[in-house]
Amino acid sequence: MSPASTGASTVVGAASVVPAAPAAPAVDSRMTPGGPGYRRMSFALFLAGVATFALLYSTQALLPLISGEFGVAASAASWTVAAATGGLAVFVLPMSALSERFGRRTVMTGSLAVAVTVGLLVPFAPSLTALVVLRAVQGAALAGLPASATAYLAEEVRPKALVTAIGLFVAGNSVGGMSGRVITGWVAQEWGWRIAVGVIGAIAVVCAVAFRLLLPAPRHFRTGSLRPRVLARTVRDHLSNPLLCRLYAIGALFMTVFGGVYTVIGYRLTEAPFSLPQGIIGSIFLVYLVGTVSASTAGRLVGRLGRRGALYLAGGTTASGLALTLAGSLVPVLLGLVLITAGFFAGHAVASSAVSKTATTGRAQASALYQSAYYIGSSAGSTVGALAFHASGWAGTVLVGLLAVLGVVTITVFGTRAARVAARQERRPASLSPSGV
């Protein structure tokens, strides 16, 4: 085609016009499965998850022994769990702010260092009060892990791989929770609960050192502000987002079920008709392996069913498990625990990854708010579940769990209806804001 036909001039002064070359597309340097550093990163955060849950719930399988030594009821001994999860819930937001200023890896490393140090002191607690205080400090220290880890993943991993990456971190949580309870159960049967929590502290030290050596340095972190006004504005923005608020509530309710069931199950299994020894009760927590699988496959579940479909399935699975545990024989109780664990970890992985995807700014604070709600749910479940058990037996604990699952389903239904309304208005600017769970 001639210049005349295009309207372009061939000469400007004495120089010919050369069309500009199209800009090269930006290369996404974030990690992806199979890419450089991804395996090291995944294994490092997996170990961090192991250490976090092993320490956080190190006393949960030992509550009957703690009750016996200090002469207290289940509701009092349960505070050794509730104090740790409550400390984490209170401090997770301030720790996330520190990670915005000093970096995710730095805060995670410091948190693990303090937590494992306290873990080595826990076996020497002279009274229940001292034990509860040490556990609260330990939970506060561990607060630097969950929100910082998910923010690190959101920054360093490509979006399409984010659910899988967070699922692997959650899988580490499940392995930590399982190994901590199984190990403490058998060790406590032979040498008592103090030696058992000391062993968990030593294992956590190894995990913490390996984590620091393996985790790649962040490449996409940008320093944020520590100014209270900026933090308050970020938190306010997240809490004004309906989708994020629904996800926070879902995380809290799922953890209410899980915290209540696993705080009380040891007491139930030591009583008739089961009358199991401490080592066998600890081994019951091998069902956490099911959670490892369900969390790590959450990405594929969302791909097939969508986010809300995955949450419905997780809630239904959890409710079915709760109903089965009402049986008077061991096999259906174990099957019920398997279903509760699978449903909980799947729901948690789906909800927590959705928070990371939804928050485009202040990801650490968004994740911190989720973790705060999540561990408030754990503390509430531990305390209310134990009180319900004391008042009405295992059926009371199950009722608390079923009410929490009903809350999950109700919130998800509300999110589904909100998403349908948004779909009808998808050509309007207001529909650009996230609206469905």
Side-chain angles (χ1 to χ4, degrees), residues 155 261 267 273 405 431:
E155 292 163 352
V261 166
Y267 289 97
V405 172
S431 69

Side-chain angles (χ1 to χ4, degrees), residues 46 55 94 280 295 324 338 363 422:
F46 178 86
L55 290 171
I280 298 297
L324 274 174
V338 166
R363 283 194 176 103

Side-chain angles (χ1 to χ4, degrees), residues 142-159:
L142 288 170
L145 263 297
S148 297
T150 51
Y152 176 95
L153 289 169
E155 292 163 352
E156 305 297 329
V157 176
R158 295 184 187 181

Side-chain angles (χ1 to χ4, degrees), residues 140-230:
L142 288 170
L145 263 297
S148 297
T150 51
Y152 176 95
L153 289 169
E155 292 163 352
E156 305 297 329
V157 176
R158 295 184 187 181
K160 288 185 178 180
L162 185 59
V163 176
T164 300
I166 290 180
L168 289 172
F169 175 64
V170 174
N173 293 345
S174 70
V175 170
M178 174 204 70
S179 59
R181 290 163 171 90
V182 173
I183 292 169
T184 55
W186 284 106
V187 173
Q189 182 171 300
E190 297 296 327
W191 296 289
W193 70 267
R194 294 180 183 273
I195 298 296
V197 293
V199 169
I200 293 302
I203 292 172
V205 169
V206 175
C207 289
V209 172
F211 160 80
R212 184 60 182 83
L213 293 175
L214 290 172
L215 188 69
R219 299 177 60 189
H220 301 277
F221 171 73
R222 296 292 180 269
T223 302
S225 173
L226 271 178
R227 288 180 295 174
R229 183 176 298 177
V230 175

